């Protein structure tokens, strides 16, 4: 039964990792739009492109 | 960026878009404005990318992100961007959009509470899984030091988890006790605390039974119920906030130095307020400048616009159609006629105040019952054995077994499933008990203007007009924003008639439009302006006069809202009696009633009469479902057993109603009723399951036969049964066809 001494902390650690991952998803707003996120994967648009300069920045020199 | 902080007013556009400027000022960076738009009709991945692409392609828009769950898009834009250009661009692309007031959407607060519950739910789930695994070893026969070790590890996980996750219940129980009330949270808290405390004591004394797993699992299931409940409420609340946000409570005040936009609360009697064409009067007042026609349909249900010029009085809530008006304020805020109607609502409010939801009725019996049972078990076992430890153990087992897990899930699981379905059909539920009350309704009362009709006029028999005359009329109509002019132009387009060539077009506010066609004066407008003979005053008309020729009349009818026929037929098929009550003239109401096949109709009803009619029906033992949109309906809406307003309704009407129809299609009503009936049946079944489970389990617990294993099994199985039953609110369609009854409906353009 000595093996319990390793297995229990190991299982708690792994479970804790899962909990930490859950906290991370919670903090990074991943539950805000479950409906939309599940559809977005079907979109063929690449939405990570660098944001184009907005017209306001061009006017901003004055 | 070389530009550090341009003030919002530095851009020329800001001066004309005060709303955007106000929003921008709220933004600490003052560099960008956040605009929220409601998208009631959006659906699917194609919709998301289409809306986002449309918005990103607009001048000044930096980012746009659609939230499909909330049916909303958040736009980050330059401070000068007018939200109206965004909604217009979306409308042109075929997406219905409405502006929301970002200030009054306190979404962050609601989100935080939900996130807090979700976090506690996650922690409870983690603890429950681990403690359950450790308990498996104990259940399968671990003994002596091994069992104690597992109990101690379980305690180390369970106690902090219960203390952290159980806080919402502890707090609610304490608040209830302080008010002297015994709510559901009291037995819940007692069960959790007693189970953990007894288990700790047993563990310390090397006992065989510890209920750590039960304590954590209780917390987990109860939190799941609580979270579902919160989600439903949050959706309803954000819907209510969203609707409130549709109306911007601001007014344009004329000052010595020009014009400023101020919150409505700062307007005082004697101020001068400006109202642009298409704008709603924010106050009661007297017109001092300008001529216009005003639309009072939301206040009185009249479809025909009324002329207003200097010296005429106007009431808050009326809309000026053609010309800008300057008003001297005679009453604002609490004193305005708009508010007088709200007072009427407050009096009528009693209609459903005495409705007690199913869950409350059950809780009222449940809470004391649980305590009495646990106390009896404690006393009985103590008297029989004189063993306090054993008696406490049995009492804890009784509390755990009776803990209302299944009860706590019975209502929220069903309402979540049902409101999710209703949301997809475009119906928002504002009140938690609306579904139950909807299921009880046996009479439905419709308002006419703006509810059964779209509130937009339509040209009667466009084919009967000479195409050339129609072309000239359309050309003139293009120059005006008057609803009749717009309907005329749209009808000409639909007939394939191209607008004729005219020049020197000008609008004469309050009268019509005039122009020159090949040097001949042409006029489109009011009958008395073009010298037309007096006509029946209950029909909306506009007249065309070419040169010295005889004026030609264009008549208009109020267009039926899409799905109106299906709604009336569907509700009747559900066994509801249908009535029509309107403030409009007799002729218009009877025509509409005949068209929809409604025999029971009332015309020229004042707001008081409408409310009185509903109250009389209620006294007669009927449960009334009221569907209305106008201010004249608000009292009736509140007096009814359950009420529905379309999203186009005025603020006050939406506040007074229990459900809001987001889309423009009325055919969602019969389905909403069907879902409500089914949901209520599921709730009752769920209570039945919970009671049956208690009938079996409680005697076992009282007899001291319940081990932690039995408690865990009984608790989870009843909770899962209830949740699965709740999902049956929306049964699968056997043949894949829509369940909506295929009602033959003529095409309504």
């Amino acid at each position: 039964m000595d093996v319990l001494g390793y297995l229990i902390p190991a299982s708690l650690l792994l479970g804790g990792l899962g909990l930490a991952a859950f906290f991370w998803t919670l903090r990074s707003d991943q539950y805000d739009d479950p409906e939309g996120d599940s559809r977005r994967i079907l979109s063929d648009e690449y939405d990570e492109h660098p944001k184009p300069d907005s017209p306001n920045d061009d006017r901003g020199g004055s | 960026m070389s530009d550090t902080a341009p003030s919002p007013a530095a851009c020329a556009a800001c001066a004309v878009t005060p709303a955007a400027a106000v929003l921008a000022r709220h933004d600490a960076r003052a560099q960008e404005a956040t605009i929220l738009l409601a998208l009631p009709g959006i659906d699917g991945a194609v919709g998301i990318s289409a809306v986002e692409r449309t918005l990103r392609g607009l001048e000044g828009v930096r980012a746009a992100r659609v939230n499909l769950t909330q049916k909303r898009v958040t736009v980050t834009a330059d401070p000068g961007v007018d939200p109206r250009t965004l909604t217009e661009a979306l409308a042109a692309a075929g997406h219905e959009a409405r502006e929301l007031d970002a200030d009054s959407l306190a979404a962050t607060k609601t989100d935080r509470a939900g996130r807090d519950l979700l976090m506690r739910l996650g922690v409870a789930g983690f603890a429950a899984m681990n403690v359950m695994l450790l308990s498996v070893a104990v259940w399968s026969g671990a003994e002596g030091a091994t069992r104690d070790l597992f109990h101690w590890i379980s305690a180390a996980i369970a106690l902090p988890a219960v203390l952290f996750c159980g806080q919402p219940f502890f707090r609610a129980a304490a608040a209830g006790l302080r008010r002297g009330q015994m709510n559901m949270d009291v037995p819940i808290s007692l069960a959790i605390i007693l189970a953990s405390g007894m288990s700790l004591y047993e563990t310390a004394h090397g006992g065989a039974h510890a209920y750590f797993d039960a304590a954590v699992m209780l917390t987990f299931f109860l939190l799941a119920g609580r979270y579902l409940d919160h989600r439903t409420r949050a959706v309803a609340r954000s819907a209510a906030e969203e609707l409130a946000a549709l109306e911007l409570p601001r007014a344009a005040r004329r000052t010595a130095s020009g014009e400023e936009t101020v919150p409505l609360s700062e307007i005082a009697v004697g101020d001068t307020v400006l109202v642009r064409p298409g704008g709603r009067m924010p106050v009661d007042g007297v017109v001092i400048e300008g001529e216009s026609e005003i639309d009072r349909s939301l206040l009185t249900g009249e479809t025909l616009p009324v002329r207003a010029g200097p010296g005429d009085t106007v009431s808050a809530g009326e809309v000026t159609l053609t010309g800008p008006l300057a008003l001297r304020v005679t009453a604002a805020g609490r004193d305005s006629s708009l508010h007088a109607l709200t007072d009427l609502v407050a009096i009528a409010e009693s209609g459903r105040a005495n409705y007690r939801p199913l869950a409350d009725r059950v809780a009222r019996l449940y809470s004391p019952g649980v305590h009495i049972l646990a106390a009896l078990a404690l006393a009985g076992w103590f008297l029989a054995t004189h063993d306090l430890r054993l008696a406490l153990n049995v009492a804890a087992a009784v509390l755990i077994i009776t803990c209302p897990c299944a009860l706590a899930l019975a209502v929220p699981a069903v309402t979540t499933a049902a409101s999710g379905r209703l949301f997809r059909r475009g119906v928002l539920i504002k009140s938690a008990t609306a579904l139950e009350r909807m299921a009880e309704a046996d009479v439905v009362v419709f308002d006419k203007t703006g509810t059964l009709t779209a509130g937009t006029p339509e040209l009667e028999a466009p084919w009967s007009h000479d195409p050339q005359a129609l072309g000239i009329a359309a050309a003139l109509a293009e120059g005006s924003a008057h609803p009749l002019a717009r309907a005329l132009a749209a009808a000409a387009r639909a007939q394939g008639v191209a607008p004729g060539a005219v020049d020197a077009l000008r609008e004469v506010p309050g009268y019509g439009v005039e122009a020159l066609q090949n040097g001949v004066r042409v006029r489109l407008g009011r009958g008395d302006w073009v010298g037309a003979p007096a006509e029946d005053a209950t029909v909306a008309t506009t007249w065309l006069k070419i040169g010295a020729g005889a004026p030609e009349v264009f008549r208009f009818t109020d267009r039926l809202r899409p799905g109106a026929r299906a709604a009336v037929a569907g509700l009747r098929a559900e066994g509801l009696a249908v009535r029509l009550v309107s403030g409009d003239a007799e002729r218009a109401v009877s025509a509409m009633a005949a068209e929809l096949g409604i025999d029971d109709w009332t015309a020229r009803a004042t707001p008081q009469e409408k409310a009185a009619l509903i109250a009389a029906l209620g006294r007669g033992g009927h449960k009334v479902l009221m569907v209305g949109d106008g201010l004249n309906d608000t009292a009736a809406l509140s007096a009814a057993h359950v009420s529905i307003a379309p999203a186009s309704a005025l603020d006050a009407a939406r506040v007074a109603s229990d459900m809001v129809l987001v889309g423009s299609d009325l055919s969602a009503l019969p389905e909403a009723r069907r879902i409500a009936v089914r949901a209520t049946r599921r709730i009752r079944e769920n209570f039945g399951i919970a009671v049956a489970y208690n009938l079996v389990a409680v005697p076992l617990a009282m007899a001291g036969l319940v081990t932690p294993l039995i408690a865990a099994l009984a608790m989870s199985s009843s909770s899962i049964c209830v949740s699965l039953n709740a999902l049956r609110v929306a049964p699968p369609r056997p043949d894949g066809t829509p369940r909506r009854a295929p009602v033959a409906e003529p095409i309504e353009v």
Side-chain angles (χ1 to χ4, degrees):
Chain A
M1 282 305 202
D2 288 348
V3 72
L4 282 181
Y6 305 105
L7 283 182
I8 289 174
S11 71
L12 285 179
L13 187 74
L14 287 175
L17 275 180
L19 191 64
F22 172 71
F23 280 156
W24 170 73
T25 58
L26 205 58
R27 277 186 197 187
S28 52
D29 297 338
Q30 297 193 27
Y31 299 95
D32 280 5
D33 184 15
E35 192 110 342
D37 289 342
S38 68
R39 308 280 174 94
R40 266 173 207 280
I41 196 153
L42 300 173
S43 159
D44 51 3
E45 263 173 61
Y46 185 58
D47 61 355
E48 293 293 312
H49 60 75
K51 213 197 283 181
D53 288 341
S54 65
N56 194 42
D57 293 344
D58 302 338
R59 270 183 291 157
S62 56
Chain B
M1 275 206 292
S2 58
D3 190 351
T4 46
S7 84
C11 66
C14 292
V16 294
T17 54
V22 167
L23 292 182
R25 239 173 282 140
H26 279 275
D27 194 317
R29 284 159 293 175
Q31 286 263 343
E32 55 188 31
T34 306
I35 300 167
L36 284 176
L37 303 175
L39 300 164
I42 191 168
D43 196 24
V46 184
I48 297 181
S49 37
V51 167
E52 290 185 351
R53 209 179 310 124
T54 310
L55 287 172
R56 284 201 199 107
L58 294 175
E59 168 94 24
V61 173
R62 296 188 196 175
R65 179 132 184 127
V66 171
N67 185 326
L68 195 63
T69 315
Q70 293 177 305
K71 303 212 180 208
R72 232 182 243 177
V73 58
T74 312
V75 182
T76 316
D78 294 341
V81 173
D82 185 346
R84 260 171 298 174
T85 61
L86 303 183
T87 52
E88 275 159 21
L90 282 174
H95 299 281
E96 190 185 353
R98 286 205 202 90
E99 193 199 342
L100 300 170
D101 182 6
D103 288 353
S104 53
L105 283 177
T108 44
K109 216 168 102 195
T110 335
D111 283 356
R112 215 171 294 136
R115 203 172 278 198
D116 182 66
L117 269 178
L118 197 56
M119 191 194 292
R120 289 182 207 274
L121 184 65
V123 172
F126 165 79
M129 282 189 290
N130 283 287
V131 174
M132 193 58 72
L133 273 180
L134 293 166
S135 304
V136 170
V138 179
W139 295 336
S140 43
E143 281 189 338
T146 320
R147 186 180 64 199
D148 285 349
L149 171 71
F150 277 100
H151 276 168
W152 277 119
I153 299 173
S154 299
I157 300 169
L159 289 179
V162 161
L163 283 182
F164 173 68
C165 305
Q167 273 171 31
F169 307 110
F170 303 154
R171 245 179 267 137
L177 286 178
R178 231 174 288 135
R179 281 197 308 269
Q181 286 170 355
M182 196 69 113
N183 51 19
M184 284 273 237
D185 294 297
V186 177
I188 289 172
S189 305
L190 208 58
I192 295 176
I193 291 169
L194 198 60
S196 317
M198 278 307 300
S199 306
L200 189 64
Y201 180 83
E202 286 290 311
T203 303
H205 291 80
H209 293 318
Y211 290 99
F212 289 119
D213 58 315
V216 187
M217 213 160 55
L218 265 184
T219 325
F220 177 69
F221 280 128
L222 290 168
L223 274 174
R226 198 57 59 99
Y227 179 66
L228 285 182
D229 200 35
H230 171 86
R231 269 242 327 240
T232 322
R233 268 166 219 252
V235 168
R237 193 169 31 226
S238 87
E241 279 171 356
E242 185 166 315
L243 293 167
L246 283 171
E247 218 107 330
L248 304 178
R250 300 196 183 100
R253 179 166 62 186
R254 181 184 287 172
T255 57
S257 58
E259 187 189 321
E260 58 178 1
T261 303
V262 294
L264 210 46
S265 53
E266 286 178 24
I267 299 284
V269 173
D271 282 350
T272 303
V273 168
L274 302 171
V275 188
R276 292 192 179 79
R280 186 163 285 151
M281 315 285 169
V283 293
D284 289 358
V286 177
V287 178
I288 52 173
E289 266 172 47
E291 290 263 357
S292 179
E293 287 191 279
I294 53 176
D295 175 2
R296 345 172 90 146
S297 60
L298 277 170
L299 273 104
T300 60
E302 294 168 61
T303 30
L304 294 187
V306 183
R307 261 205 55 206
D312 288 334
T313 52
V314 291
S315 317
E318 296 173 349
V319 176
T320 167
L321 295 173
T322 42
L325 293 178
L327 316 175
R328 200 183 62 246
V329 180
T330 53
R334 301 216 147 264
D335 306 319
S336 72
S337 51
L338 203 67
H339 211 272
L341 274 167
T342 326
D343 289 344
L344 198 61
V345 172
I347 298 164
E349 202 74 72
S350 56
R352 69 187 77 120
N354 46 15
Y355 180 80
R356 190 173 294 152
L358 275 172
D360 277 16
R361 279 180 259 168
V362 173
R364 202 163 287 255
L365 292 175
Y366 194 83
S367 243
V370 168
H371 290 114
I372 292 168
L373 280 178
L376 279 179
L378 181 70
W381 279 88
F382 183 69
L383 288 178
T385 61
H386 290 280
D387 182 352
L388 186 62
R389 182 174 153 190
L390 181 64
L392 270 174
N393 256 323
V394 173
V398 170
L399 275 177
I400 289 170
I401 281 290
T402 53
C403 204
C405 273
L407 279 184
L409 280 169
V411 178
V414 174
T415 23
T416 305
S419 59
R421 254 198 85 75
L422 284 172
F423 187 65
R424 277 195 289 280
R425 290 289 285 130
V427 181
L428 285 174
I429 301 181
K430 278 177 55 206
S431 153
T433 59
L435 277 175
E436 296 170 25
R437 285 182 278 127
M438 175 90 167
E440 289 176 359
D442 57 359
V443 176
V444 54
V445 176
F446 280 105
D447 166 51
K448 185 180 80 76
T449 316
T451 307
L452 284 176
T453 67
T456 47
E458 189 179 51
L459 183 60
E460 208 174 276
W463 54 86
S464 67
H465 294 282
D466 171 26
Q468 206 196 340
L470 191 60
I472 295 168
L476 288 164
E478 301 275 4
S480 169
H482 192 287
L484 292 185
R486 274 200 228 156
L488 186 64
R493 241 176 283 131
Q495 285 287 305
V497 175
V502 293
D503 39 33
L505 187 87
R506 74 184 186 99
E507 183 162 18
V508 186
Y511 294 98
V513 196
E514 67 174 10
L516 293 174
Q517 192 224 9
N518 300 332
V520 180
R521 179 168 302 282
V522 286
R523 277 180 166 183
L524 179 74
R526 297 178 62 87
D528 48 7
W529 185 52
V530 298
E535 254 248 353
D536 181 2
T538 58
V539 185
T541 51
T542 188
W543 296 78
L544 176 71
K545 190 182 168 75
I546 304 173
E552 181 176 354
V553 68
F554 292 88
R555 289 194 185 82
F556 296 86
T557 50
D558 203 355
R559 185 158 65 92
L560 265 188
R561 199 183 263 271
R565 246 178 267 274
V568 171
L571 285 171
R572 202 170 273 154
E574 287 285 306
L576 274 79
V578 182
R579 299 181 70 135
L580 177 63
V581 178
S582 175
D584 205 359
E586 208 140 306
R587 194 190 128 146
V589 180
S590 66
M592 172 70 52
E595 198 175 345
L596 290 169
I598 301 172
D599 307 321
D600 202 342
W601 53 270
T602 314
R604 293 205 181 281
T606 63
Q608 288 84 346
E609 282 166 3
K610 282 191 177 195
L613 184 110
I614 303 270
L617 279 172
R619 273 194 302 277
H622 290 288
K623 309 273 188 202
V624 183
L625 161 64
M626 171 79 198
V627 189
D629 78 315
L631 262 180
N632 56 333
D633 299 318
T634 40
L637 285 169
S638 345
H641 192 58
V642 56
S643 48
I644 301 182
S648 56
L650 207 60
D651 205 12
R654 289 187 312 243
V655 168
S657 49
D658 302 305
M659 298 190 198
V660 173
L661 205 58
V662 181
S664 55
D665 193 341
L666 280 179
S667 64
L669 290 182
E671 179 150 4
R673 153 86 180 183
R674 273 195 291 278
I675 292 175
V677 170
R678 211 175 297 137
T680 312
R681 200 183 308 142
R682 296 286 168 267
I683 291 177
R684 285 181 198 280
E685 282 169 12
N686 277 350
F687 284 139
I689 292 175
V691 167
Y693 148 80
N694 274 314
L695 282 182
V696 175
V698 169
L700 288 179
M702 298 278 284
L705 295 174
V706 167
T707 62
L709 176 60
I710 292 178
L713 283 177
M715 207 157 46
S716 42
S717 57
S718 70
S719 297
I720 290 167
C721 276
V722 162
S723 312
L724 288 180
N725 188 41
L727 291 178
R728 296 199 302 135
V729 166
R733 296 163 188 177
D735 52 351
T737 51
R739 256 182 304 110
R740 222 194 316 155
V743 177
E745 193 175 357
I747 298 155
E748 290 157 343
V749 192

